[in-house]
Amino acid sequence: MGFLSLLTVLTFHPISAQVLKSKCAECQLPTAHSISDTVMDVQFRDKTLLSNCVSVKREMIEINGSKQQALRLRFLKNSTCSDTIVMAHQVEYISTGSLGLDGNPFTLQVLPAREFLSTLDTNDIPASFVELTGNLGYGGSDESSRSIGFGSMYYGGELLIAPFGTFLGRKFSLALGGGAFLEGGRMRFPAIGHLRYTLLGEAHYETVYEFVPSACQFGTSDGKHIEPGSGYTEVQSPTVTDSSVYFYRKNSIVQDDFRPYLFVEGGVVFNSSFEGNGSKPSINPDDYGQFLLGGGIGLPFATIFTASLGYRYMRLNLRTPCLTCPPAPNGNPDEFYVVNTNSVHSILLKVGLHFDW
């Protein structure tokens, strides 16, 4: 039993150590020449030597507001993985224990990567949009004495177009549009102004840095030399660089999936040709006036869809016969009608399509 226990420890210890090393090492050893090469030494230009390094990876870090080349070094010691970041120019070379032809360990000089700027055209940040939604509103029951309201729900659709780009900045968008809704069997047509404020996640530029062929590439003795394709301009470096790897930077448009927004809107409401539309003939045409005001919160989702929930107040009119009016002395028929006003306080749900440009 003791022999089996010892055999188990001897068998699984190298396996567990190998698993730990594979998790710790992001990059393969650039100086490895045999399976016995599992760690390397990192020699700094100030003659500092760090041992048991299992991975060297190129990165970009920000120093005093500018991006500079750095190296992420990972170490494995006593079954513990740790890492540190140093400037690329601080490291002189890395080496493994394998012996070369001259009896010395294999060493590889560490140099900064070549730098290129992308001169390719980039798309403008999408700051305008078009939106088509179906609307469902709940306005409560009709409690008016003349039954000029509607029974709880109203339905419709709207089209909004925001063509002004960044006229109000990156977070604000101004849209104009219109639609139609049906309430109590009457079709009405709102003309709307809509102001939207993106709380977070709006589209913006981010500078992207990418190492080619990879962040794990370091020059070798075969003198491998690579060049980017067209559309890139090299940034001249005052120091010697590694011709086997380069990095480029470019502006990339980033837009978060989670982009909640607040909105306020308002407009005027026009009528279709239903019975009782308009202000005349009536005994009180000056009381006529139809508009809407509202606001709420919304969220784009699944790239091309949007949903919002908010409050909408609507002032709507309907002419009805004036049954309580005295007979007109001159027989003017205008005096037999009255303009009624329905004040609607409602909750409105909008769901539909959203396209940025």
Side-chain angles (χ1 to χ4, degrees):
M1 182 64 69
F3 174 75
L4 291 177
S5 299
L6 179 61
L7 181 61
T8 301
V9 171
L10 293 177
T11 301
F12 285 97
H13 178 71
I15 295 177
S16 61
Q18 185 65 28
V19 170
L20 178 60
K21 179 181 179 298
S22 64
K23 292 182 179 180
C24 185
E26 293 184 88
C27 300
Q28 296 181 351
L29 302 187
T31 54
H33 283 255
S34 70
I35 59 174
S36 62
D37 294 330
T38 59
V39 295
M40 57 188 161
D41 296 330
V42 180
Q43 175 71 56
F44 289 78
R45 298 189 183 278
D46 64 0
K47 304 311 176 184
T48 300
L49 181 66
L50 297 180
S51 302
N52 298 316
C53 182
V54 296
S55 175
V56 179
K57 182 181 179 181
R58 298 183 185 273
E59 289 190 5
M60 301 296 296
I61 62 174
E62 185 169 337
I63 296 181
N64 297 327
S66 64
K67 291 286 187 176
Q68 298 189 28
Q69 295 189 54
L71 303 175
R72 181 177 292 274
L73 309 178
R74 290 186 176 272
F75 299 89
L76 187 62
K77 186 176 181 181
N78 297 329
S79 300
T80 301
C81 182
S82 61
D83 66 353
T84 186
I85 296 179
V86 299
M87 301 303 299
H89 62 79
Q90 293 178 317
V91 177
E92 184 176 5
Y93 64 82
I94 52 179
S95 63
T96 54
S98 297
L99 296 180
L101 297 177
D102 57 358
N104 295 319
F106 282 106
T107 62
L108 180 64
Q109 185 180 14
V110 175
L111 297 172
R114 299 166 68 196
E115 178 181 359
F116 287 84
L117 295 176
S118 172
T119 57
L120 300 176
D121 293 335
T122 58
N123 295 325
D124 291 333
I125 292 178
S128 300
F129 69 84
V130 58
E131 195 168 275
L132 178 63
T133 60
N135 300 350
L136 176 63
Y138 175 76
S141 59
D142 181 16
E143 298 179 355
S144 61
S145 59
R146 295 190 177 97
S147 298
I148 61 170
F150 55 93
S152 299
M153 309 297 294
Y154 62 96
Y155 314 87
E158 291 176 358
L159 175 67
L160 293 176
I161 301 176
F164 305 106
T166 58
F167 176 71
L168 297 177
R170 291 292 180 193
K171 286 185 169 293
F172 284 96
S173 296
L174 178 62
L176 301 175
F181 66 90
L182 186 67
E183 53 86 23
R186 298 175 288 267
M187 183 68 72
R188 303 183 191 261
F189 305 99
I192 300 172
H194 177 101
L195 181 63
R196 181 171 299 185
Y197 175 77
T198 302
L199 292 172
L200 52 91
E202 70 276 5
H204 60 281
Y205 278 125
E206 282 189 5
T207 303
V208 175
Y209 299 86
E210 183 173 342
F211 288 93
V212 180
S214 77
C216 299
Q217 173 64 37
F218 292 86
T220 56
S221 58
D222 59 10
K224 183 178 180 181
H225 185 88
I226 62 171
E227 292 285 347
S230 60
Y232 295 89
T233 302
E234 185 169 6
V235 177
Q236 299 300 319
S237 173
T239 61
V240 180
T241 56
D242 189 339
S243 62
S244 70
V245 60
Y246 68 87
F247 78 94
Y248 66 88
R249 59 185 180 187
K250 65 177 182 179
N251 286 330
S252 179
I253 297 175
V254 177
Q255 189 174 50
D256 296 342
D257 293 332
F258 183 68
R259 305 189 309 276
Y261 60 85
L262 300 175
F263 69 90
V264 293
E265 57 189 7
V268 295
V269 180
F270 301 95
N271 296 326
S272 64
S273 57
F274 57 81
E275 184 178 356
N277 75 89
S279 61
K280 296 179 180 180
S282 68
I283 61 172
N284 58 335
D286 293 339
D287 291 341
Y288 184 86
Q290 299 189 137
F291 62 87
L292 62 86
L293 297 170
I297 188 169
L299 181 70
F301 64 95
T303 307
I304 63 170
F305 297 100
T306 184
S308 65
L309 182 66
Y311 163 80
R312 174 171 287 185
Y313 168 78
M314 295 187 294
R315 187 182 192 273
L316 306 176
N317 298 131
L318 181 67
R319 278 188 309 111
T320 61
C322 183
L323 301 179
T324 61
C325 295
N330 56 1
N332 186 351
D334 291 3
E335 297 181 1
F336 291 98
Y337 291 87
V338 61
V339 173
N340 304 280
T341 298
N342 183 21
S343 295
V344 182
H345 300 272
S346 65
I347 298 173
L348 182 63
L349 173 66
K350 301 182 183 183
V351 179
L353 299 174
H354 176 99
F355 301 97
D356 291 312
W357 88 86

